[in-house]
Amino acid sequence: MDSTTLDVDGSVMEGGGQILRVSAALSCITGTAIKISKIRAGRTTPGLRPQHLCGLQLLRDICAGSLDGAIIGSTEITLAPGKITSGNHLADPQTAGSVGLLLQASLPCALFTDASTQLCLKGGTNADMAPQIDYTVKVFKPTLEKFGIHFDCDIRMRGYYPKGGGEVLVTVNPIKQLSPITMTERGTITKIYGRAFVAGVLPYKLAKDMSTAAVRTIRREIKDLYINIPSLQEKDQACGNGNGIIIIAESSTGCVFAGSSLGKKGVYADKVGIEAAEMLLRNLRHNGCVDEFLQDQLIIFMALANGTSRIRTGPITLHTQTAIHVAEQLTQAKFTISQSDDDQTNKPTFIIECQGAGLSNPNL
């Protein structure tokens, strides 16, 4: 192994796929070769699963690098990046592995190409334990625009567990340098909306029940806003059977939050709606500017930005702590976290501040 290869312990902190995604993306961008060991060591099925392998192969292709040890079940890989180039790339784990997580891994690298890049991502668009594609489009994307990042998502086909079969075409525009962001004032919640869906053979009534239960739950705390959660039956543009709901809240200062839930066999539809509503409400009570799921996804972009970024959040998640750990290992970025009690809610909020590494795109 080359002496300049950086060792990354895949078992620390969150100890899952996130360490892979963040470290491999930053490896490609910084040109630093990495060896990741003890991959997903604490999981019931340790090592690479199909979606992790597919994400690593996608990154290898974007940066014309070499990837060793990348097979299903492997607990150690080495990635030696080459030059990041634009082009058309396909990632298909042939499972219901999350399209949103494939995008999390590949988007940062695609920003450092010389021209527009197309990513054809296949798998599960609405998968458990991962951001639904609707979250990516409605929450993640508008927040990234504050860094100067622009990408488009064309949802060609939705795919659900266990079949997958979804397809999203993502077009990413390169950027010379990311701008820092400041998100410390939430303002007031001005809009709540969403979508409740059924696909395949599942009855339309499930979508209506999810929506009705969600609206009823939110109404108990937020009485003065119109809540619009239409019920949708997905037909031609869905592969397999599935049901779920996502509810989005927007604030007067441009902050976006979401709560979501997917149906499971034996779980009543109204329970799915209530779970999504309670998730949203939980993330609105602390008066932070990002929800618990966006928090960690912003860390890599704050680390890359040129200048000081500041975001106000609720309780710091383990995923966020892990992303900060990896970002500081692979870049010159420096993070600090400070607590500030919120006068309105009497709940603690936290300021994540980052002096970004200010990496420039050498291809532009």
Side-chain angles (χ1 to χ4, degrees):
M1 189 175 75
D2 191 315
S3 60
T4 58
T5 301
L6 183 72
D7 284 310
V8 176
D9 184 342
S11 69
V12 299
M13 302 173 90
E14 183 270 336
Q18 189 202 25
I19 295 177
L20 273 176
R21 288 187 293 275
V22 178
S23 58
L26 288 173
S27 162
C28 294
I29 293 167
T30 61
T32 307
I34 56 169
K35 177 185 175 186
I36 310 174
S37 55
K38 302 181 196 166
I39 293 168
R40 301 180 70 251
R43 299 300 195 254
T44 47
T45 48
L48 297 177
R49 305 306 302 146
Q51 68 266 32
H52 306 118
L53 175 60
C54 191
L56 286 169
Q57 290 168 334
L58 175 59
L59 285 171
R60 174 201 63 198
D61 294 346
I62 292 172
C63 75
S66 65
L67 180 63
D68 295 321
I71 55 170
I72 303 291
S74 172
T75 56
E76 186 173 296
I77 64 102
T78 303
L79 174 64
K83 182 181 178 343
I84 296 177
T85 50
S86 57
N88 299 334
H89 300 282
L90 169 69
D92 182 5
Q94 303 192 334
T95 66
S98 167
V99 164
L101 294 181
L102 285 174
L103 182 62
Q104 263 186 40
S106 54
L107 176 65
C109 303
L111 296 172
F112 286 80
T113 58
D114 55 341
S116 175
T117 294
Q118 280 211 331
L119 307 170
C120 180
L121 308 176
K122 299 191 175 189
T125 55
N126 300 72
D128 214 11
M129 305 295 288
Q132 294 191 38
I133 193 64
D134 308 275
Y135 185 95
T136 302
V137 172
K138 297 292 187 182
V139 182
F140 182 61
K141 183 176 182 289
T143 307
L144 286 204
E145 286 170 2
K146 298 175 191 291
F147 290 97
I149 294 167
H150 295 283
F151 67 96
D152 290 315
C153 274
D154 178 9
I155 304 167
R156 298 282 181 89
M157 181 70 71
R158 288 177 180 268
Y160 306 102
Y161 180 84
K163 282 185 180 177
E167 181 178 329
V168 179
L169 196 62
V170 182
T171 305
V172 185
N173 296 324
I175 187 169
K176 181 65 184 169
Q177 203 167 45
L178 279 70
S179 301
I181 63 164
T182 299
M183 296 176 70
T184 54
E185 301 297 327
R186 189 177 82 183
T188 56
I189 298 302
T190 56
K191 197 173 176 185
I192 297 177
Y193 60 97
R195 70 191 301 272
F197 65 88
V198 291
V201 301
L202 298 180
Y204 177 64
K205 181 180 183 303
L206 293 183
K208 296 196 80 167
D209 288 351
M210 288 186 293
S211 175
T212 302
V215 171
R216 190 172 61 238
T217 304
I218 294 168
R219 277 269 170 266
R220 291 191 192 122
E221 287 192 36
I222 300 172
K223 297 180 169 62
D224 56 348
L225 279 181
Y226 173 63
I227 302 166
N228 181 30
I229 308 174
S231 309
L232 304 166
Q233 175 108 43
E234 295 175 348
K235 290 180 179 167
D236 301 336
Q237 285 185 300
C239 178
N241 306 314
N243 68 296
I245 181 170
I246 182 165
I247 316 161
I248 293 142
E250 295 180 6
S251 87
S252 55
T253 60
C255 304
V256 194
F257 310 82
S260 64
S261 185
L262 292 171
K264 295 183 186 71
K265 202 170 181 180
V267 177
Y268 287 113
D270 57 352
K271 190 175 178 207
V272 178
I274 290 166
E275 184 177 65
E278 288 182 340
M279 185 185 292
L280 176 67
L281 290 170
R282 181 172 77 238
N283 281 288
L284 295 181
R285 286 182 196 122
H286 56 60
N287 217 27
C289 295
V290 299
D291 64 36
E292 64 195 289
F293 309 104
L294 187 61
Q295 204 185 94
D296 68 279
Q297 295 183 60
L298 298 183
I299 297 301
I300 187 170
F301 302 102
M302 292 169 74
L304 293 168
N306 182 31
T308 304
S309 293
R310 299 175 84 237
I311 60 171
R312 184 185 296 276
T313 75
I316 305 294
T317 66
L318 183 57
H319 272 87
T320 295
Q321 292 171 36
T322 307
I324 289 172
H325 170 75
V326 175
E328 289 190 330
Q329 216 182 342
L330 275 146
T331 71
Q332 298 296 309
K334 288 285 170 276
F335 286 84
T336 55
I337 297 172
S338 55
Q339 183 174 330
S340 66
D341 293 329
D342 187 85
D343 296 334
Q344 288 175 272
T345 63
N346 291 322
K347 289 181 182 291
T349 60
F350 298 84
I351 301 285
I352 304 175
E353 184 169 302
C354 173
Q355 184 59 49
L359 293 183
S360 286
N361 184 344
N363 298 308
L364 284 183

